């Protein structure tokens, strides 16, 4: 009973060391199984020293079964070390695998070998053997990030049992050894297995803390990146910098925030504003290195920061490059009063923030490129005017001048309205329906004058829709299609109906004619494909459809159908956004 209490007492000290170990920066790589030979050697050394500490905090028992409570600095020939080194070796194997386990075991076993005493050979061998076996045991639980305390409690039973067997094997004829094994067996098994279970529970707590910190950092970075989006869309880099600096300073509670371009400081918020001034050139090596390498850099001292003011209150900084494409266009500097304030969560947040801002800039640039491309396409589509219509109308006006001066004057005015509207198309994406109606009426007046007696165009204009917006020159090309293609072979009795129907939420625009209709084989292609080799209005209808979809969305696309008997209908529907 006394031995059991002493062992648990010493294991308490060992678990304090273990707690400190779990907080070390390199411990995370073990939890996430980021294997490398360099880290394996380092971890083997650390756990090996941890095993040595388990031996030093163990107890000594002599042949009279007296428990010596002093720390184990040396061992007499008639004394035996009851060590807790197996706790460290099992954990090393479970977390680091066979290489880390056997490496730590060799270090702890070598120490026990040189201490000597009764059973020193068994004590020496059991450590590397335990590390090797624990490492291979961990492979059965490779899908688990951390082995549960219950499983590790069960695993922890076997190393002490292995030690007892080795002691009996090497001292099979020694009755005293049998008595010693009977005395220490149960206390060692209990203390070691429970300590291993506590250690794994401690690791699970650390892992949850890291995951919570990572989740918090990710959430905070996403929130800040979303709030930074309006500033990133600013055309002026200075406005971008000022917005981001103010946002980060307010959200992260930092000592100071600086935003720079490639050459100079564009914004500074917080401490040190008396010498961290806007317009200061980037002269420090750390800033130039961040621009050149395009990598996040952390400085933990004023010497690394290289501030020109010896009384600067800023002691540490995280420098995040602002990337656009493959080039660093600036820096975000997060300043801290003390180096200790830069914790792993701050590093995770800074790294995530830099990546998110880079992605935001990529998305903004892609969006701007798409808008510019769309503007160019729309300008190209809108600028297309049928030259035949212009020449035919001018010829008609010339003929009317000899016969009817007043009508020639009226048609000239209508042509002027028509042409003025077309010239404004390139700079206007949406116009009020009132303007579009004027454009259509001007065209109808010209066409009906030209085809007097052959063609009748009916136009219905509902009330309360004049303020609604529509892509310019949308209705007129539909009427022109009916005139030029639908009624191409009609010598008299041609009728075109232009109907505007308003419902509670939509506006339907349709153009019907009683002409020959569209060939069935091209009905499904009209509006989606530029039918340049066809004589059925392929280009005009395609242009209208592209403008409608680009500016109002897919639901506003053109619909084309042939009517029963003869004729065709082309129509589209747009939502009423401002009733």
């Amino acid at each position: 009973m006394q031995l059991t209490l002493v062992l648990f007492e010493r294991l308490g000290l060992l678990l304090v060391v273990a707690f400190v170990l779990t907080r070390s920066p390199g411990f995370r790589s073990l939890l996430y199984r980021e294997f490398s030979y360099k880290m394996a050697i380092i971890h083997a050394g650390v756990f090996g020293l941890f095993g040595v500490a388990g031996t030093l905090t163990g107890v000594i028992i002599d042949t009279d079964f007296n428990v010596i409570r002093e720390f184990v600095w040396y061992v007499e020939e008639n004394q035996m070390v009851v060590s807790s080194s197996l706790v460290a070796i099992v954990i090393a194997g479970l977390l680091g695998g066979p290489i880390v386990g056997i490496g730590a075991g060799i270090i702890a076993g070598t120490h026990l070998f040189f201490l000597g005493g009764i059973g020193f050979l068994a004590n020496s061998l059991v450590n590397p053997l335990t590390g090797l076996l624990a490492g291979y045991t961990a492979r059965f639980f490779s899908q688990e990030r951390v082995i549960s305390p219950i499983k590790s409690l069960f695993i922890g039973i076997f190393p002490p049992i292995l030690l007892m067997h080795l002691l009996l094997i090497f001292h099979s004829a020694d009755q005293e050894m049998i008595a010693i094994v009977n005395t220490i067996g149960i206390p060692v098994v209990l203390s070691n297995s429970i300590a291993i279970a506590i250690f794994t529970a401690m690791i699970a707590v650390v892992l949850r803390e890291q995951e919570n910190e990572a989740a918090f950092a990710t959430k905070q970075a996403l929130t800040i990146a979303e709030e930074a989006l309006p500033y990133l869309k600013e055309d002026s880099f200075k406005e971008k910098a000022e917005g981001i600096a103010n946002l980060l300073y307010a959200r992260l509670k930092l000592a100071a925030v600086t935003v720079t371009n490639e050459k100079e400081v564009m914004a500074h918020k917080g401490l040190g504003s008396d010498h961290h001034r806007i317009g200061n050139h980037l002269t420090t090596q750390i800033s130039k290195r961040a621009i050149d390498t395009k990598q996040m850099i952390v400085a933990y001292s004023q010497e690394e920061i290289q501030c020109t003011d010896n009384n600067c209150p800023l002691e540490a900084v995280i420098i995040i490059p602002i990337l656009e494409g493959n080039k660093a266009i600036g820096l975000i500097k997060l300043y801290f009063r003390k180096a200790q304030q830069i914790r792993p969560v701050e590093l995770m947040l800074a790294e995530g923030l830099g990546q998110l801002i880079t992605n935001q800039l990529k998305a903004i640039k892609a969006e701007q490129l798409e808008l510019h491309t769309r503007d160019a396409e729309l300008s190209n589509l809108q600028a297309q005017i049928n030259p035949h219509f212009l020449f035919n109308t001018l010829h008609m006006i010339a003929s009317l001048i000899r016969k009817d001066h007043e009508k020639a004057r009226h048609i000239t005015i209508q042509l002027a309205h028509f042409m003025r509207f077309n010239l404004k198309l390139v700079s206007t994406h949406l116009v009020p329906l009132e303007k579009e109606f004027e454009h259509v009426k001007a065209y109808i007046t010209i066409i009906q004058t030209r085809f007097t007696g052959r063609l009748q165009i009916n136009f219905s204009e509902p009330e309360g829709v004049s303020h609604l917006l529509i892509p310019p020159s949308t209705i007129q090309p539909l009427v022109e299609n009916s005139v030029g293609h639908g009624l191409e072979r009609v010598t008299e009795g041609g009728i075109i109906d232009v109907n505007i129907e308003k419902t509670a939420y939509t506006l339907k625009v349709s153009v019907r004619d009683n002409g020959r209709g569209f060939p069935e084989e091209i009905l499904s292609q009209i509006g989606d494909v530029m039918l340049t080799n066809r004589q059925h209005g392929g280009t005009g209808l395609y242009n209208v459809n592209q403008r409608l979809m680009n500016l109002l969305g897919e639901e506003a696309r053109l619909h084309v159908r042939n009517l029963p008997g003869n004729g065709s209908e082309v129509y589209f529907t747009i939502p009423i956004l401002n009733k």
Side-chain angles (χ1 to χ4, degrees):
M1 184 64 180
Q2 181 187 7
L3 179 60
T4 304
L5 292 175
V6 173
L7 285 175
F8 275 109
E9 175 189 313
R10 298 298 171 83
L11 282 170
L13 294 174
L14 198 63
L15 290 173
V16 171
V17 177
F19 178 81
V20 174
L21 181 64
T22 58
R23 261 57 186 174
S24 64
F27 193 74
R28 179 181 172 185
S29 63
L30 270 181
L31 295 183
Y32 290 94
R33 310 208 172 161
E34 299 169 357
F35 180 81
S36 71
Y37 285 105
K38 179 181 177 181
M39 290 306 298
I41 293 171
I42 293 173
H43 287 131
V46 170
F47 278 102
L49 294 176
F50 187 24
V52 171
T55 300
L56 296 176
T57 56
V59 297
I60 296 174
I61 186 170
D62 60 22
T63 52
D64 295 328
F65 306 109
N66 295 315
V67 177
I68 302 172
R69 302 168 65 97
E70 288 82 4
F71 289 110
V72 182
W73 302 109
Y74 61 91
V75 181
E76 303 291 345
E77 290 185 2
N78 64 333
Q79 295 175 335
M80 178 178 174
V81 179
V82 181
S83 170
S84 300
S85 63
L86 292 176
V87 174
I89 307 309
V90 171
I91 296 299
L94 292 179
L95 291 181
I99 294 177
V100 175
I102 196 171
I106 290 172
I107 294 172
T110 302
H111 176 249
L112 281 164
F113 181 84
F114 285 108
L115 279 177
I118 300 171
F120 75 95
L121 192 57
N123 267 326
S124 302
L125 287 176
V126 75
N127 281 276
L129 283 174
T130 295
L132 183 65
L133 293 173
Y136 281 111
T137 301
R139 295 190 175 182
F140 290 102
F141 306 99
S142 58
Q143 301 303 315
E144 300 181 30
R145 296 176 69 182
V146 177
I147 297 174
S148 69
I150 298 298
K151 292 176 182 177
S152 58
L153 179 68
F154 180 73
I155 293 169
I157 292 173
F158 293 97
I161 293 176
L162 177 61
L163 172 61
M164 302 308 148
H165 280 82
L166 290 175
L167 288 171
L168 294 175
I169 289 170
F170 288 122
H171 304 276
S172 57
D174 192 342
Q175 292 298 318
E176 289 184 353
M177 181 56 70
I178 295 174
I180 290 174
V181 168
N182 288 333
T183 302
I184 69 172
I186 293 177
V188 171
V189 169
L190 283 175
S191 60
N192 277 262
S193 58
I194 292 173
I196 291 169
I198 293 173
F199 200 160
T200 53
M202 199 182 298
I203 292 170
V205 170
V206 172
L207 186 61
R208 281 196 297 272
E209 288 178 356
Q210 290 179 342
E211 289 175 341
N212 290 338
E213 286 185 350
F216 174 76
T218 301
K219 181 179 179 181
Q220 196 173 20
L222 287 170
T223 302
I224 293 173
E226 185 177 352
E227 293 176 343
L229 188 56
Y231 304 116
L232 295 173
K233 288 184 176 181
E234 295 286 351
D235 294 330
S236 167
F237 193 94
K238 183 174 179 58
E239 292 177 351
K240 281 188 178 78
E242 290 176 350
I244 293 171
N246 290 329
L247 174 65
L248 294 178
Y249 184 75
R251 288 286 179 269
L252 300 180
K253 312 297 183 185
L254 298 163
V257 177
T258 296
V259 180
T260 79
N261 60 16
E262 298 173 82
K263 297 180 180 179
E264 62 184 11
V265 175
M266 301 299 291
H268 180 86
K269 184 75 174 178
L271 300 176
S273 57
D274 58 328
H275 58 281
H276 288 271
R277 296 192 183 94
I278 295 172
N280 285 357
H281 290 285
L282 297 184
T283 57
T284 61
Q285 291 299 318
I286 192 171
S287 297
K288 292 179 179 178
R289 192 163 77 249
I291 291 285
D292 293 338
T293 62
K294 301 185 283 291
Q295 298 292 325
M296 186 178 80
I297 295 177
V298 184
Y300 294 96
S301 67
Q302 289 181 333
E303 290 75 17
E304 290 181 87
I305 296 175
Q306 297 177 333
C307 184
T308 55
D309 192 319
N310 294 329
N311 297 319
C312 181
L314 307 174
E315 184 178 291
V317 66
I318 301 175
I319 302 179
I320 309 165
I322 304 172
L323 304 180
E324 191 173 88
N326 294 322
K327 182 181 179 183
I329 61 171
L331 301 172
I332 297 174
K333 298 183 178 183
L334 310 180
Y335 284 102
F336 300 82
R337 291 180 66 93
K338 298 294 180 183
Q340 293 82 358
Q341 293 174 336
I342 301 181
R343 301 169 299 164
V345 64
E346 275 74 31
L347 295 174
M348 284 187 286
L349 173 62
E351 188 173 359
L353 191 60
Q355 188 61 51
L356 286 169
I357 288 177
T358 297
N359 291 339
Q360 293 276 41
L361 288 173
K362 286 180 182 177
I364 291 170
K365 191 172 183 180
E367 182 181 344
Q368 291 174 341
L369 180 61
E370 182 181 354
L371 287 174
H372 292 158
T373 303
R374 183 182 297 178
D375 287 347
E377 291 175 350
L378 286 173
S379 297
N380 181 54
L381 291 172
Q382 291 173 340
Q384 297 184 35
I385 301 174
N386 189 342
H388 297 291
F389 168 76
L390 177 61
F391 296 145
N392 289 333
T393 304
L394 291 174
H395 181 71
M396 181 182 67
I397 292 172
S399 300
L400 285 172
I401 289 174
R402 294 191 299 269
K403 301 176 183 178
D404 190 337
H405 295 284
E406 191 61 32
K407 181 170 278 191
R409 177 177 176 277
H410 178 66
I411 295 300
T412 302
I413 292 173
Q414 296 302 315
L415 178 62
H417 288 321
F418 182 84
M419 294 302 298
R420 187 179 298 113
F421 186 89
N422 277 281
L423 291 173
K424 291 180 179 178
L425 294 183
V426 174
S427 59
T428 307
H429 290 161
L430 293 172
V431 296
L433 263 177
E434 180 182 14
K435 296 294 182 183
E436 180 70 11
F437 288 165
E438 291 176 3
H439 183 236
V440 175
K441 289 176 185 177
Y443 177 78
I444 290 174
T445 300
I446 295 170
I447 288 298
Q448 288 203 133
T449 303
R450 179 180 165 192
F451 295 104
T452 302
R454 173 186 165 190
L455 177 65
Q456 175 65 39
I457 303 178
N458 303 312
F459 181 78
S460 65
E461 181 181 347
E463 296 181 357
V465 300
S466 60
H467 65 288
L468 299 179
L469 299 178
I470 190 173
S473 191
T474 300
I475 303 175
Q476 180 269 328
L478 306 186
V479 179
E480 183 178 358
N481 177 73
S482 290
V483 173
H485 303 287
L487 301 175
E488 184 180 13
R489 299 177 185 175
V490 176
T491 57
E492 61 179 12
I495 299 174
I496 297 174
D497 293 316
V498 182
N499 296 312
I500 317 293
E501 300 176 14
K502 179 189 176 187
T503 66
Y505 302 104
T506 61
L507 186 76
K508 180 180 179 181
V509 179
S510 67
V511 177
R512 292 187 176 196
D513 64 62
N514 62 345
R516 58 179 176 168
F518 294 95
E520 292 294 334
E521 66 269 16
I522 69 167
L523 269 178
S524 61
Q525 301 177 345
I526 294 174
D528 293 324
V529 179
M530 187 177 289
L531 304 172
T532 53
N533 295 326
R534 299 280 184 173
Q535 300 300 316
H536 300 284
T539 301
L541 296 182
Y542 173 82
N543 291 346
V544 171
N545 194 39
Q546 296 309 304
R547 284 203 299 273
L548 286 169
M549 290 193 297
N550 284 336
L551 294 171
L552 299 179
E554 180 70 24
E555 65 273 12
R557 67 177 297 115
L558 281 183
H559 298 274
V560 182
R561 68 188 183 102
N562 288 328
L563 300 174
N566 60 346
S568 62
E569 179 185 31
V570 180
Y571 68 93
F572 62 90
T573 304
I574 60 175
I576 297 178
L577 301 177
N578 46 345
K579 294 185 263 186

